[in-house]
Amino acid sequence: MASANETPGYIPVSEWPNLDALAVGFNEHLMAESRKLTGKSLTLFLNDANLIRIAHCFLDNDTLEWEVQRDKQTGTAKYKAFEVRPDTFFVDFYKPDYQEQVSLVMNLRTGQAIVGVSGFHIKDGQKRTWTRFLNASIGGRNDVVPFAPTTDLIGKHILYRYTPRDAYEHIYLNQGTLTWHCLSGTEKGLADTEPCRMLKLDEKLYLLFWSEKIMPVESIVVVDLHQMRSTGRFFCWDPKPAKLVQMLFGSYATILAQTDAAETLALRGSHICSWYPRKGILDSQGSEMSMQHLVMSSRNCMPD
């Protein structure tokens, strides 16, 4: 791996660190937990053909009881809750009997909710992670519109600082693709392009999900570009020590750039320019000399 002051080149997958090493310290910039759900009972009505209802009773500051009312499946779990915006909560908990990580995003004001569930399966002979999302309404309100896909992040280049040592940049290419690159920290120099999903939760507030191709990692993150921070989790199976790795994380965000390649391509009168040496110009002694001239293609640079 690269030293602290070295700018690395390509790093082969065989030299990537294990995920257990990566997880150290990533909660240093995590926002403070919220206690506002303590004592509340919230039932989520899933927007699916089976009309499943899942009740969540927040018994105290860190324990909840859940029940899938159709199947009478019940359980308790330790949870973490974060109020990412007033009345909007990110809740995360693990169901050990099912080996599933559950993340809820709920807007108590509008009744909107989405459930993200991650688990394991065997794919091509390897243990990999999967995630599915289910839209829901809180209390079965019939005026609730699901969180919508968004293009707001496309073209943004954002720096995320997870710890004083660990920083990553993201570039959002389209609604289904992002590129990440570690600038400093345990994964310095590592980079990849991953499938992703983007939903708009509120003004400048987004749900971002991505699934990594090399490491079996599923990440669900709430990105707040008003407060300039993110709050989320990742869930994965680390193949090197062969163990489950779960992690909550937070970051401070900085927008580095905003680009719009499609708009640039669509601009009328785009210029195609080239440099080439033009000969035949004489110096003061009468000798031929070469100069670099910027010559614009007449086909593309002539006025309309």
Side-chain angles (χ1 to χ4, degrees), residues 10-68:
Y10 173 75
I11 300 173
V13 174
S14 60
E15 297 180 17
W16 286 32
N18 63 48
L19 291 165
D20 213 18
L22 165 66
V24 176
F26 263 52
N27 61 355
E28 291 182 32
H29 291 168
L30 188 61
M31 70 189 307
E33 293 178 47
S34 172
R35 308 301 186 194
K36 290 186 178 180
L37 296 180
T38 300
K40 293 185 180 294
S41 293
L42 300 173
T43 299
L44 303 185
F45 287 59
L46 303 186
N47 297 357
D48 66 356
N50 298 315
L51 300 176
I52 295 174
R53 303 178 185 182
I54 306 177
H56 299 82
C57 181
F58 297 87
L59 302 176
D60 54 34
N61 290 341
D62 63 5
T63 305
L64 64 77
E65 184 177 71
W66 58 268
E67 179 186 2
V68 181

Side-chain angles (χ1 to χ4, degrees), residues 77-283:
K78 295 295 183 181
Y79 76 93
K80 301 284 188 182
F82 305 91
E83 191 173 14
V84 292
R85 284 275 180 91
D87 294 324
T88 297
F89 293 86
F90 174 79
V91 178
D92 192 65
F93 61 93
Y94 180 62
K95 297 162 61 177
D97 292 342
Y98 298 86
Q99 284 197 313
E100 291 179 348
Q101 193 78 22
V102 180
S103 297
L104 313 175
V105 176
M106 302 180 292
N107 186 324
L108 303 190
R109 176 176 50 83
T110 65
Q112 294 167 292
I114 189 166
V115 181
V117 182
S118 298
F120 298 118
H121 63 166
I122 302 300
K123 183 178 180 181
D124 300 327
Q126 295 183 323
K127 195 166 188 174
R128 303 290 299 187
T129 42
W130 55 263
T131 297
R132 69 175 182 270
F133 287 94
L134 300 163
N135 291 310
S137 61
I138 301 171
R141 288 175 50 173
N142 57 16
D143 60 341
V144 173
V145 177
F147 296 119
T150 182
T151 60
D152 288 3
L153 295 178
I154 296 173
K156 283 185 169 57
H157 182 185
I158 301 179
L159 172 67
Y160 296 99
R161 297 178 178 89
Y162 296 97
T163 76
R165 303 163 301 282
D166 298 273
Y168 290 71
E169 59 181 333
H170 282 193
I171 300 173
Y172 303 104
L173 304 177
N174 55 46
Q175 277 186 286
T177 315
L178 68 80
T179 292
W180 61 266
H181 173 223
C182 181
L183 296 167
S184 63
T186 305
E187 289 192 311
K188 182 175 180 178
L190 303 191
D192 210 343
T193 298
E194 317 287 11
C196 70
R197 182 176 181 180
M198 309 169 187
L199 300 177
K200 189 166 186 173
L201 306 176
D202 207 336
E203 192 62 31
K204 293 188 176 182
L205 187 70
Y206 306 96
L207 179 68
L208 175 65
F209 164 76
W210 73 90
S211 180
E212 299 192 17
K213 301 188 299 294
I214 294 176
M215 295 291 197
V217 176
E218 307 281 306
S219 297
I220 298 177
V221 189
V222 176
V223 178
D224 188 338
L225 294 185
H226 178 68
Q227 300 293 335
M228 299 308 295
R229 66 186 309 164
S230 71
T231 305
R233 61 86 161 166
F234 81 45
F235 175 80
C236 66
W237 181 259
D238 193 336
K240 294 182 180 179
K243 63 180 289 189
L244 164 68
V245 178
Q246 305 155 283
M247 184 175 70
L248 284 165
F249 57 82
S251 77
Y252 294 107
T254 302
I255 298 177
L256 301 176
Q258 171 72 61
T259 62
D260 191 335
E263 182 180 13
T264 301
L265 286 172
L267 286 175
R268 294 182 66 232
S270 297
H271 299 318
I272 299 177
C273 304
S274 60
W275 285 94
Y276 72 90
R278 176 177 290 177
K279 296 184 178 181
I281 299 177
L282 304 182
D283 63 15

